[in-house]
Amino acid sequence: MSDSLQRTPLYDLNLELGAKMVPFAGFEMPIQFPAGLMTEHLHTREKAGLFDVSHMGQIRIAAKSGDVKDAAAALETLVPADFVGLAAGRQRYGLLTNEKGGILDDLMVANMGKDLLVVVNAGCKVQDADRIEKALSDRCVVTRQFDRALMALQGPAAEAALAPLCPAVKDMRFMDVIETELAGVLVTVSRSGYTGEDGFEIGCAGADAEKVARAILARPDVLPIGLGARDSLRLEAGLCLYGNDIDVTTTPVEASLGWAIQKARREGGVREGGYPGADVVLKQTRDGVARKRVGLVADGRAPVRAGAKLFADAEGQKEIGVVTSGAFGPSVKAPVAMGYVTPDHAAVDTPVFAELRGKYVPLHVRAMPFVAPGFKR
């Protein structure tokens, strides 16, 4: 592999565990382990899997005033989410937008009491941090913590596996976040995830990552899981992958992510607009869009991949959209996909056709997620 690729703090452990490494977002990352993608996927759905996601970026934002609400208000100038109303110990999904309403990145923001902890995607983290620093530096201190490790423990057995090492997790609910100790190491723990299952993200100093990971992997029912199963799990959960399903050419409304814009930031809300592209997003919310992200299930057994064009008819005469993610769903035992279609073809059960090797394969629009979520509410 190229010498220019970065390595996470868990690189050596991944190799020890037999990982097949591939380039991803500038890092050498485990795509799968000896168990294989199918086994890893199903094990996470049934028990618990540990993912190395240390390639993602962690950023701290502290208000110079010392009041976390001032940091939250500052971040709201870049993201159409209600962070001022976010309680301490809670986190929220958000979208970093540009002046045209396009999505620069999606992120998680946690109110840690004294400051905000922001987790951003690996391929966007430098640009995200630059944008945040430029916009907020007069009011906030922005600290990049790109040397920290991040792990995700996902699956219905996640709490049972983690609680003996970190008893505080038993009292957490979906989207809670705490600072605590795990195996004698100071960690941040959030209860959420990218698989549709119950689970946790554990952040710690890079030097402590292997100790934490080994402690978790020693627990019953936990296997190491690679990025291959992470992708199929998130697709079944109907969750977007930045760069595939959302990017600078898509808006939150087109991406069916309007739920990530809370009432306070919507039209008529107490802090309506005020973020880049607000005029576009508010107009689309009011007047509608020309395309919409939907779930798709193939009628046959052949997976329809990203990039496949979508048509209204079996002859391929009327093009109506494109597939942005597609794969065989091991849990649903069928090919699943998501993509963008015109609004008149976005209703559940609407038949559409995907171009596949010169033929037009039938699919139907389906509600997402494709699997029932297992979050602890």
Side-chain angles (χ1 to χ4, degrees):
M1 264 183 226
S2 169
D3 293 338
S4 64
L5 291 174
Q6 299 177 69
R7 294 174 175 176
T8 75
L10 293 174
Y11 174 82
D12 290 337
L13 179 58
N14 287 328
L15 289 185
E16 180 186 319
L17 295 169
K20 178 184 177 182
M21 308 295 284
V22 298
F24 182 81
F27 282 78
E28 288 185 67
M29 296 296 295
I31 189 72
Q32 65 180 55
F33 291 86
L37 189 154
M38 184 76 72
T39 297
E40 292 173 29
H41 177 114
L42 294 173
H43 185 90
T44 304
R45 285 269 182 258
E46 296 163 5
K47 296 180 181 178
L50 185 68
F51 302 77
D52 177 10
V53 289
S54 304
H55 59 313
M56 300 181 76
Q58 299 179 58
I59 302 169
R60 290 272 187 163
I61 304 175
K64 292 179 179 179
S65 69
D67 188 343
V68 70
K69 286 194 178 295
D70 291 338
L75 188 57
E76 283 190 6
T77 65
L78 297 177
V79 181
D82 177 8
F83 297 131
V84 171
L86 183 64
R90 296 286 290 166
Q91 69 174 4
R92 178 164 283 162
Y93 177 77
L95 302 161
L96 194 66
T97 54
N98 65 17
E99 286 66 24
K100 294 182 180 180
I103 300 170
L104 293 166
D105 198 8
D106 60 341
L107 39 79
M108 297 295 292
V109 178
N111 181 340
M112 303 305 296
K114 295 181 179 179
D115 61 8
L116 303 178
L117 172 61
V118 183
V119 179
V120 299
N121 283 301
C124 307
K125 62 185 180 184
V126 174
Q127 300 96 302
D128 289 355
D130 288 347
R131 186 174 179 86
I132 292 169
E133 283 176 352
K134 184 178 179 180
L136 273 56
S137 59
D138 60 330
R139 289 172 285 176
C140 300
V141 176
V142 180
T143 306
R144 305 181 192 209
Q145 298 186 321
F146 295 169
D147 57 343
R148 283 178 64 82
L150 190 65
M151 291 158 260
L153 180 66
Q154 296 284 292
E159 181 185 296
L162 200 59
L165 303 170
C166 184
V169 302
K170 290 185 291 186
D171 297 324
M172 296 177 71
R173 58 193 173 97
F174 184 58
M175 297 299 252
D176 278 353
V177 58
I178 60 172
E179 289 184 299
T180 184
E181 281 196 4
L182 194 162
V185 172
L186 184 64
V187 295
T188 59
V189 182
S190 57
R191 191 163 198 162
S192 60
Y194 194 49
T195 61
E197 299 297 332
D198 184 24
F200 305 88
E201 295 76 39
I202 302 109
C204 66
D208 295 324
E210 193 169 311
K211 179 181 180 182
V212 171
R214 287 186 185 278
I216 296 171
L217 287 166
R219 300 291 304 152
D221 296 332
V222 180
L223 282 182
I225 311 294
L227 291 180
R230 183 172 170 84
D231 190 52
S232 57
L233 287 159
R234 69 91 193 168
L235 177 54
E236 287 186 341
L239 300 172
C240 294
L241 173 64
Y242 190 81
N244 280 47
D245 310 297
I246 51 175
D247 57 27
V248 294
T249 71
T250 54
T251 69
V253 187
E254 291 172 329
S256 300
L257 295 173
W259 56 265
I261 304 175
Q262 286 74 35
K263 184 179 179 180
R265 308 303 308 282
R266 295 181 187 174
E267 192 168 40
V270 292
R271 293 187 309 286
E272 171 188 327
Y275 54 88
D279 54 338
V280 176
V281 174
L282 290 170
K283 185 177 187 300
Q284 288 183 342
T285 302
R286 186 171 57 248
D287 300 338
V289 290
R291 59 176 181 158
K292 185 178 181 182
R293 182 175 64 94
V294 298
L296 300 161
V297 173
D299 293 0
R301 301 291 292 175
V304 177
R305 305 293 181 181
K309 294 180 180 179
L310 293 169
F311 296 86
D313 57 288
E315 293 74 39
Q317 296 297 306
K318 182 182 179 182
E319 187 174 340
I320 56 166
V322 65
V323 173
T324 53
S325 288
F328 184 80
S331 303
V332 299
K333 298 181 175 63
V336 292
M338 67 174 76
Y340 287 81
V341 298
T342 54
D344 56 334
H345 289 83
V348 170
D349 293 333
T350 301
V352 298
F353 299 84
E355 187 176 17
L356 183 63
R357 294 186 292 273
K359 297 181 180 180
Y360 297 95
V361 177
L363 304 93
H364 280 80
V365 174
R366 290 286 185 264
M368 294 184 287
F370 301 109
V371 294
F375 307 131
K376 182 178 178 181
R377 300 288 184 177

